[in-house]
Amino acid sequence: MLLFPRFAALAGAAMSLAASAGPAPAAVAGAVNTADTAPPPPAGRYLNLHQCVYNGPFLPTSFDLMTTLVPSRDGRFSAGTNISDTPVAAAVCGPGDGNYEPNVYTAAEGYDLTAGRYLNLHQCVFWSDFDQDHLTTVVGTTDVKFVAGTNVSNSRDTAPNCGGGGTDHPIPLLSSATPLDLTAGRYLNLHQCMYYYDGYHDHFTTFARSGDGRFGAGTNISDTPDTRPSCGAGDGRFQLIPVLSGVKALPLH
């Protein structure tokens, strides 16, 4: 008997903001050019992670959840993850495809990039025996049973901090804490790798490396923006789904 049944899906709405810049000031005669000596300005103070969780229809033996942080290649499962001077107020997600729609585990959180040297990305993967389904979370503002401890700190996290999962079980082999050095480059390249196994009608996502390299994702910080996701090949049953995978290069400076 399932003690904590998963909730029904719910859709959310959000607004996008645009800012315009004024004309550049005119040069001043005799002024010192500091362009080569001053550090580049930050692109924004907050990394806003938009965790978009979609649920598929109830099936005779399964209920399918899948998570996106960046837009999928088909666009229907987009996520509004960005860097901004304003912390996010609500998740911005695509509408789904008619069968899959945003779920109550959808959430967003703004991380202050000035708070420390490392972005500690916590990937928490859970498994439900009842639903035969995985759920991946990365933020701490969802159901307390499924929170993830992503943070910005001067310390490197080496073990994931994940909720207990209730009747779902955390999967240590697929969960991870990845410390990303914010001083190591100009771009946070956030990789999203989506896998699917038809036997369970189950999608699940990874965003970082974990103990099982077959499902690793290549999230990194670099001076080069990544344009293609780097993903493990899967294990033969769970296979990579390229159209639902993706990468987003977020400028840190």
Side-chain angles (χ1 to χ4, degrees):
M1 178 179 179
L2 181 64
L3 298 179
F4 296 94
R6 286 175 170 168
F7 297 98
L10 80 107
M15 297 185 300
S16 61
L17 302 177
S20 59
V28 178
V32 178
N33 184 358
T34 60
D36 296 329
T37 58
R45 178 170 178 174
Y46 296 94
L47 167 64
N48 293 314
L49 289 179
H50 294 242
Q51 174 180 289
C52 297
V53 180
Y54 297 86
N55 70 258
F58 284 95
L59 298 171
T61 59
S62 67
F63 174 60
D64 186 25
L65 296 172
M66 64 180 183
T67 305
T68 62
L69 289 181
V70 306
S72 61
R73 292 185 181 180
D74 68 3
R76 296 173 296 178
F77 300 100
S78 62
T81 293
N82 64 12
I83 291 178
S84 170
D85 284 325
T86 305
V88 65
V92 177
C93 303
D97 65 355
N99 292 315
Y100 285 79
E101 56 188 1
N103 182 274
V104 292
Y105 302 127
T106 292
E109 191 161 0
Y111 297 93
D112 187 346
L113 296 174
T114 70
R117 177 172 177 174
Y118 298 99
L119 168 64
N120 293 303
L121 182 65
H122 288 239
Q123 171 177 289
C124 297
V125 181
F126 303 87
W127 168 255
S128 168
D129 290 323
F130 183 87
D131 293 320
Q132 294 185 308
D133 180 55
H134 290 89
L135 169 65
T136 304
T137 63
V138 294
V139 303
T141 53
T142 184
D143 187 312
V144 66
K145 298 189 297 295
F146 301 107
V147 296
T150 295
N151 66 85
V152 176
S153 170
N154 282 318
S155 301
R156 296 165 54 94
D157 290 351
T158 57
N161 182 7
C162 302
T167 54
D168 294 16
H169 312 295
I171 307 297
L173 187 65
L174 296 175
S175 302
S176 62
T178 302
L180 298 162
D181 187 345
L182 294 168
T183 70
R186 294 180 57 198
Y187 296 95
L188 167 62
N189 293 306
L190 186 56
H191 290 240
Q192 171 176 295
C193 301
M194 184 79 73
Y195 300 88
Y196 179 74
Y197 174 46
D198 187 60
Y200 296 151
H201 302 286
D202 175 30
H203 294 82
F204 84 94
T205 325
T206 61
F207 304 101
R209 292 178 174 83
S210 60
D212 191 335
R214 298 173 297 179
F215 300 103
T219 292
N220 66 84
I221 291 179
S222 170
D223 283 327
T224 304
D226 291 348
T227 58
R228 296 176 62 87
S230 174
C231 302
D235 65 356
R237 294 195 310 166
F238 282 89
Q239 298 183 348
L240 182 68
I241 307 299
V243 74
L244 296 177
S245 302
V247 62
K248 189 170 188 177
L250 298 160
L252 297 171
H253 301 288

